[in-house]
């Protein structure tokens, strides 16, 4: 893997909830944006945007299945700004709505707080 792609992956892993501009990522590794995008897609087999979306949706699915947080809270936590866009992306990726995904997960009932 190209070391500049590895650095970009490290930045994205560390700051996965942040909206990064490709031009800023490219500047961080001394490449033109188009060259970084080309190298990234060649090494990772998906675009930077697809990689970020995959990471966010994977984390959202984990939180939906393992917590009692409201889905809207999860949407904003993982870096989406719009619930509708999140719902469409989630359905495209997992084949069900976030609510259906949660209902299919086996969660223990929420604990009452005293």
């Amino acid at each position: 893997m190209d070391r500049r792609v590895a650095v970009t992956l490290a930045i994205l892993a560390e700051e996965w909830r942040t909206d990064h501009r490709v031009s800023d990522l490219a500047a961080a590794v001394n490449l033109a944006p188009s060259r970084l995008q080309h190298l990234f897609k060649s090494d990772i087999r998906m675009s930077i945007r697809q990689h970020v979306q995959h990471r966010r949706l994977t984390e959202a699915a984990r939180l939906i299945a393992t917590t009692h947080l409201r889905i809207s809270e999860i949407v904003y936590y993982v870096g989406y700004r719009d619930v509708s866009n999140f719902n469409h992306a989630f359905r495209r990726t997992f084949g069900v709505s976030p609510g259906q995904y949660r209902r299919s997960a086996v969660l223990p009932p929420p604990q009452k707080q005293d």
Side-chain angles (χ1 to χ4, degrees):
M1 175 185 304
D2 187 283
R3 70 174 173 73
R4 295 158 300 187
V5 172
V7 169
T8 302
L9 280 171
I11 292 168
L12 294 174
E14 181 76 22
E15 303 169 9
W16 61 271
R17 292 174 31 197
T18 304
D19 286 331
H20 291 280
R21 293 185 357 214
V22 173
S23 59
D24 293 338
L25 293 169
V29 294
N30 271 345
L31 286 174
S34 60
R35 183 66 181 146
L36 175 60
Q37 289 176 312
H38 174 79
L39 288 172
F40 195 95
K41 189 157 191 166
S42 176
D43 284 356
I44 307 302
R45 304 284 186 239
M46 64 177 74
S47 71
I48 293 170
R49 182 174 177 231
Q50 289 169 327
H51 174 76
V52 169
Q53 181 175 350
H54 175 75
R55 172 67 168 94
R56 289 176 177 176
L57 290 171
T58 301
E59 180 64 12
R62 184 188 71 76
L63 292 170
I64 288 168
T66 62
T67 71
H68 292 283
L69 292 170
R70 291 189 345 241
I71 290 173
S72 61
E73 290 177 272
I74 293 169
V75 168
Y76 297 116
Y77 175 78
V78 299
Y80 275 83
R81 294 184 186 154
D82 182 70
V83 175
S84 179
N85 285 342
F86 171 80
N87 287 337
H88 289 295
F90 194 93
R91 186 181 289 275
R92 268 194 317 274
T93 301
F94 295 101
V96 294
S97 72
Q100 291 168 317
Y101 191 86
R102 173 166 277 167
R103 286 188 292 278
S104 71
V106 179
L107 289 175
Q111 303 238 341
K112 289 186 180 180
Q113 296 180 3
D114 295 327

